[in-house]
Amino acid sequence: DAKTTQPNSMESNEEEPVHLPCNHSTISGTDYIHWYRQLPSQGPEYVIHGLTSNVNNRMASLAIAEDRKSSTLILHRATLRDAAVYYCILKNAGGTSYGKLTFGQGTILTVHP
Amino acid sequence: SQTIHQWPATLVQPVGSPLSLECTVEGTSNPNLYWYRQAAGRGLQLLFYSVGIGQISSEVPQNLSASRPQDRQFILSSKKLLLSDSGFYLCAWGEGGIVQPQHFGDGTRLSIL
Protein backbone atom coordinates (compact mmCIF):
# COMPACT_ATOMS: atom_id res chain seq x y z
CA ASP A 1 0.00 0.00 0.00
CA ALA A 2 1.15 3.53 -0.71
CA LYS A 3 2.37 5.37 2.36
CA THR A 4 1.16 8.63 3.88
CA THR A 5 3.12 11.16 5.92
CA GLN A 6 1.51 13.42 8.49
CA PRO A 7 2.88 15.81 11.12
CA ASN A 8 3.02 14.23 14.56
CA SER A 9 1.00 16.99 16.19
CA MET A 10 -0.80 20.27 15.56
CA GLU A 11 -2.49 22.82 17.74
CA SER A 12 -5.43 25.09 17.17
CA ASN A 13 -7.66 27.49 19.03
CA GLU A 14 -11.34 26.91 19.43
CA GLU A 15 -13.56 28.31 16.66
CA GLU A 16 -10.61 28.76 14.30
CA PRO A 17 -10.11 26.75 11.10
CA VAL A 18 -7.68 23.84 11.14
CA HIS A 19 -5.78 22.54 8.14
CA LEU A 20 -4.36 19.04 8.62
CA PRO A 21 -1.87 18.10 5.87
CA CYS A 22 -1.07 14.69 4.46
CA ASN A 23 1.60 13.78 1.94
CA HIS A 24 1.19 10.74 -0.28
CA SER A 25 3.75 11.16 -3.03
CA THR A 26 3.54 7.51 -4.17
CA ILE A 27 -0.23 7.48 -4.55
CA SER A 28 -1.52 5.47 -7.49
CA GLY A 29 -4.32 6.44 -9.81
CA THR A 30 -6.75 4.05 -8.13
CA ASP A 31 -6.01 5.04 -4.52
CA TYR A 32 -8.77 6.81 -2.62
CA ILE A 33 -7.83 9.17 0.20
CA HIS A 34 -9.69 8.47 3.43
CA TRP A 35 -9.58 10.33 6.72
CA TYR A 36 -10.51 8.92 10.11
CA ARG A 37 -10.20 10.38 13.55
CA GLN A 38 -9.89 8.74 16.94
CA LEU A 39 -11.05 10.47 20.08
CA PRO A 40 -9.40 9.44 23.36
CA SER A 41 -10.35 5.93 24.47
CA GLN A 42 -12.67 5.41 21.50
CA GLY A 43 -12.58 3.57 18.21
CA PRO A 44 -11.74 5.50 15.03
CA GLU A 45 -14.51 7.40 13.29
CA TYR A 46 -14.80 7.91 9.54
CA VAL A 47 -14.51 11.57 8.54
CA ILE A 48 -14.36 11.91 4.77
CA HIS A 49 -12.89 10.45 1.58
CA GLY A 50 -12.07 11.57 -1.95
CA LEU A 51 -10.36 10.63 -5.18
CA THR A 52 -9.56 13.73 -7.21
CA SER A 53 -12.07 16.47 -6.52
CA ASN A 54 -12.43 18.42 -3.30
CA VAL A 55 -15.14 17.04 -1.04
CA ASN A 56 -17.34 18.52 1.64
CA ASN A 57 -19.55 16.92 4.26
CA ARG A 58 -21.04 17.92 7.57
CA MET A 59 -17.85 17.13 9.45
CA ALA A 60 -15.09 18.53 7.28
CA SER A 61 -13.73 19.37 3.85
CA LEU A 62 -11.06 17.53 1.92
CA ALA A 63 -8.82 19.46 -0.44
CA ILE A 64 -6.82 17.31 -2.84
CA ALA A 65 -3.83 18.67 -4.73
CA GLU A 66 -4.02 18.62 -8.50
CA ASP A 67 -1.19 16.07 -8.74
CA ARG A 68 -2.84 14.10 -5.86
CA LYS A 69 0.45 13.84 -4.03
CA SER A 70 -0.93 15.66 -1.02
CA SER A 71 -4.25 16.48 0.60
CA THR A 72 -5.55 18.61 3.43
CA LEU A 73 -8.36 17.93 5.85
CA ILE A 74 -10.08 21.16 6.80
CA LEU A 75 -12.08 21.63 9.96
CA HIS A 76 -13.83 24.94 9.41
CA ARG A 77 -14.37 25.84 13.06
CA ALA A 78 -12.54 23.70 15.57
CA THR A 79 -14.29 22.77 18.78
CA LEU A 80 -12.91 21.10 21.87
CA ARG A 81 -14.62 17.90 20.71
CA ASP A 82 -12.43 17.88 17.61
CA ALA A 83 -9.35 17.12 19.71
CA ALA A 84 -8.32 13.70 18.43
CA VAL A 85 -5.77 11.77 16.40
CA TYR A 86 -6.42 12.25 12.69
CA TYR A 87 -5.40 9.52 10.27
CA CYS A 88 -4.90 9.92 6.52
CA ILE A 89 -5.20 6.54 4.78
CA LEU A 90 -5.03 5.39 1.18
CA LYS A 91 -7.41 2.67 0.00
CA ASN A 92 -6.76 0.90 -3.26
CA ALA A 93 -9.52 -0.17 -5.60
CA GLY A 94 -7.61 -3.10 -7.02
CA GLY A 95 -6.43 -6.43 -5.74
CA THR A 96 -7.82 -8.22 -2.72
CA SER A 97 -7.73 -5.37 -0.25
CA TYR A 98 -11.20 -6.26 1.10
CA GLY A 99 -11.49 -2.73 2.38
CA LYS A 100 -8.58 -3.10 4.76
CA LEU A 101 -7.27 0.05 6.40
CA THR A 102 -3.58 0.59 7.13
CA PHE A 103 -3.21 3.14 9.90
CA GLY A 104 -0.10 5.24 10.37
CA GLN A 105 0.74 7.28 13.45
CA GLY A 106 -1.62 10.11 12.53
CA THR A 107 -1.64 13.72 13.70
CA ILE A 108 -2.55 14.54 17.28
CA LEU A 109 -4.74 17.65 17.19
CA THR A 110 -4.93 19.74 20.34
CA VAL A 111 -7.64 22.38 20.52
CA HIS A 112 -7.21 25.21 23.01
CA PRO A 113 -10.23 27.00 24.51
CA SER B 1 -29.44 1.71 11.28
CA GLN B 2 -26.36 -0.39 11.79
CA THR B 3 -24.73 -0.83 15.16
CA ILE B 4 -21.67 -2.65 16.41
CA HIS B 5 -21.31 -4.05 19.89
CA GLN B 6 -18.07 -5.07 21.49
CA TRP B 7 -17.52 -6.45 24.97
CA PRO B 8 -16.21 -6.32 27.57
CA ALA B 9 -15.02 -2.70 27.67
CA THR B 10 -12.11 -3.52 29.96
CA LEU B 11 -10.48 -6.77 30.93
CA VAL B 12 -7.63 -7.71 33.23
CA GLN B 13 -6.22 -11.18 32.74
CA PRO B 14 -3.23 -13.08 34.15
CA VAL B 15 -0.47 -14.32 31.88
CA GLY B 16 -1.28 -17.77 30.55
CA SER B 17 -5.03 -17.43 30.86
CA PRO B 18 -7.41 -17.83 27.89
CA LEU B 19 -9.16 -14.96 26.12
CA SER B 20 -12.43 -14.50 24.31
CA LEU B 21 -13.59 -11.14 22.99
CA GLU B 22 -16.86 -10.91 21.14
CA CYS B 23 -18.16 -8.50 18.55
CA THR B 24 -21.59 -8.41 16.96
CA VAL B 25 -23.05 -6.24 14.25
CA GLU B 26 -26.72 -5.42 13.76
CA GLY B 27 -28.63 -3.94 10.87
CA THR B 28 -26.56 -5.26 7.98
CA SER B 29 -25.93 -8.55 6.19
CA ASN B 30 -22.70 -10.22 5.13
CA PRO B 31 -20.42 -7.45 6.36
CA ASN B 32 -16.65 -7.60 6.22
CA LEU B 33 -15.42 -7.86 9.79
CA TYR B 34 -12.06 -6.77 11.19
CA TRP B 35 -10.07 -7.05 14.42
CA TYR B 36 -7.45 -4.38 15.14
CA ARG B 37 -5.07 -3.91 18.04
CA GLN B 38 -3.62 -0.66 19.27
CA ALA B 39 -0.61 -0.85 21.56
CA ALA B 40 -0.07 2.05 23.95
CA GLY B 41 0.92 5.20 22.06
CA ARG B 42 0.88 3.53 18.67
CA GLY B 43 -1.35 3.28 15.63
CA LEU B 44 -3.86 0.56 14.88
CA GLN B 45 -2.65 -2.74 13.50
CA LEU B 46 -4.97 -5.02 11.57
CA LEU B 47 -4.96 -8.53 13.08
CA PHE B 48 -7.69 -10.44 11.25
CA TYR B 49 -10.40 -9.86 8.72
CA SER B 50 -13.29 -11.95 7.46
CA VAL B 51 -15.40 -11.66 4.32
CA GLY B 52 -17.87 -14.39 5.26
CA ILE B 53 -18.93 -17.06 7.76
CA GLY B 54 -16.05 -19.36 8.61
CA GLN B 55 -13.54 -17.36 6.53
CA ILE B 56 -10.64 -15.80 8.43
CA SER B 57 -7.53 -14.10 7.10
CA SER B 58 -4.64 -13.34 9.41
CA GLU B 59 -2.51 -10.29 8.82
CA VAL B 60 0.28 -10.88 11.32
CA PRO B 61 1.63 -13.94 13.10
CA GLN B 62 0.63 -13.89 16.72
CA ASN B 63 -0.71 -15.63 19.76
CA LEU B 64 -4.30 -14.90 18.81
CA SER B 65 -6.96 -16.48 16.62
CA ALA B 66 -10.30 -15.35 15.25
CA SER B 67 -13.53 -17.07 14.33
CA ARG B 68 -16.76 -16.09 12.64
CA PRO B 69 -19.41 -18.62 13.63
CA GLN B 70 -22.31 -16.47 12.41
CA ASP B 71 -22.71 -13.80 9.76
CA ARG B 72 -22.58 -10.91 12.19
CA GLN B 73 -20.47 -12.37 14.99
CA PHE B 74 -16.70 -12.10 15.20
CA ILE B 75 -14.68 -13.59 18.05
CA LEU B 76 -11.06 -13.01 19.03
CA SER B 77 -9.45 -15.73 21.12
CA SER B 78 -6.27 -16.92 22.72
CA LYS B 79 -5.45 -20.14 24.53
CA LYS B 80 -2.65 -18.63 26.65
CA LEU B 81 -2.19 -14.87 26.92
CA LEU B 82 1.24 -13.24 26.86
CA LEU B 83 2.26 -9.91 28.38
CA SER B 84 2.68 -8.59 24.84
CA ASP B 85 -1.02 -9.19 24.15
CA SER B 86 -1.92 -6.14 26.22
CA GLY B 87 -3.57 -3.37 24.24
CA PHE B 88 -6.73 -1.80 22.96
CA TYR B 89 -8.67 -4.21 20.75
CA LEU B 90 -11.12 -2.85 18.22
CA CYS B 91 -13.66 -4.61 16.10
CA ALA B 92 -14.92 -3.00 12.91
CA TRP B 93 -17.30 -3.76 10.08
CA GLY B 94 -17.48 -2.49 6.55
CA GLU B 95 -18.97 -3.28 3.19
CA GLY B 96 -15.52 -3.90 1.81
CA GLY B 97 -15.66 -1.50 -1.08
CA ILE B 98 -13.16 1.15 -1.98
CA VAL B 99 -15.27 4.04 -0.74
CA GLN B 100 -17.40 2.51 1.98
CA PRO B 101 -16.15 3.48 5.44
CA GLN B 102 -15.39 1.12 8.27
CA HIS B 103 -17.36 1.44 11.47
CA PHE B 104 -15.61 0.71 14.72
CA GLY B 105 -16.80 -0.52 18.08
CA ASP B 106 -15.88 1.12 21.35
CA GLY B 107 -13.02 -1.28 21.94
CA THR B 108 -11.79 -3.53 24.73
CA ARG B 109 -8.85 -2.43 26.82
CA LEU B 110 -6.96 -5.59 27.74
CA SER B 111 -4.35 -5.59 30.48
CA ILE B 112 -2.22 -8.66 31.11
CA LEU B 113 -0.70 -9.06 34.56
Side-chain angles (χ1 to χ4, degrees):
Chain A
D1 291 333
K3 186 178 178 180
T4 63
T5 304
Q6 300 176 251
N8 290 333
S9 62
M10 292 186 65
E11 297 187 17
S12 173
N13 294 319
E14 202 172 9
E15 298 191 2
E16 291 184 355
V18 182
H19 291 234
L20 297 164
C22 180
N23 288 323
H24 28 78
S25 58
T26 59
I27 191 171
S28 74
T30 55
D31 284 334
Y32 278 73
I33 303 160
H34 287 247
W35 283 82
Y36 284 73
R37 71 180 186 181
Q38 186 176 19
L39 279 64
S41 299
Q42 294 187 25
E45 173 188 30
Y46 166 79
V47 177
I48 200 166
H49 75 270
L51 181 62
T52 56
S53 303
N54 295 344
V55 184
N56 300 296
N57 66 19
R58 64 175 180 82
M59 291 181 69
S61 296
L62 177 60
I64 302 173
E66 194 169 338
D67 63 4
R68 298 207 332 122
K69 293 186 177 184
S70 65
S71 60
T72 302
L73 180 70
I74 302 167
L75 307 179
H76 295 285
R77 290 184 64 190
T79 70
L80 297 178
R81 288 173 294 181
D82 291 322
V85 181
Y86 287 79
Y87 297 98
C88 170
I89 301 168
L90 301 183
K91 284 183 74 175
N92 193 279
T96 57
S97 64
Y98 298 112
K100 294 184 291 184
L101 296 175
T102 302
F103 287 83
Q105 293 301 308
T107 297
I108 300 171
L109 175 65
T110 301
V111 180
H112 298 290
Chain B
S1 63
Q2 302 90 355
T3 56
I4 180 169
H5 303 281
Q6 197 180 335
W7 66 93
T10 59
L11 188 61
V12 181
Q13 292 283 99
V15 170
S17 64
L19 173 74
S20 180
L21 301 180
E22 188 164 344
C23 171
T24 59
V25 180
E26 296 177 358
T28 187
S29 297
N30 196 31
N32 286 4
L33 297 173
Y34 308 86
W35 278 112
Y36 292 85
R37 177 172 61 199
Q38 187 171 34
R42 305 187 66 178
L44 282 79
Q45 180 184 38
L46 179 63
L47 301 177
F48 301 96
Y49 68 91
S50 171
V51 299
I53 296 174
Q55 189 281 329
I56 306 294
S57 295
S58 174
E59 286 292 290
V60 294
Q62 57 208 308
N63 184 41
L64 303 168
S65 62
S67 62
R68 185 172 177 173
Q70 299 181 44
D71 182 42
R72 291 168 289 176
Q73 183 185 28
F74 206 22
I75 298 172
L76 184 69
S77 304
S78 174
K79 293 182 179 178
K80 294 179 73 173
L81 286 167
L82 306 172
L83 284 174
S84 58
D85 292 324
S86 293
F88 190 41
Y89 288 82
L90 289 152
C91 180
W93 75 272
E95 296 177 2
I98 188 62
V99 298
Q100 285 82 6
Q102 281 187 24
H103 307 276
F104 288 78
D106 291 331
T108 294
R109 193 162 301 280
L110 175 64
S111 298
I112 310 299
L113 303 179

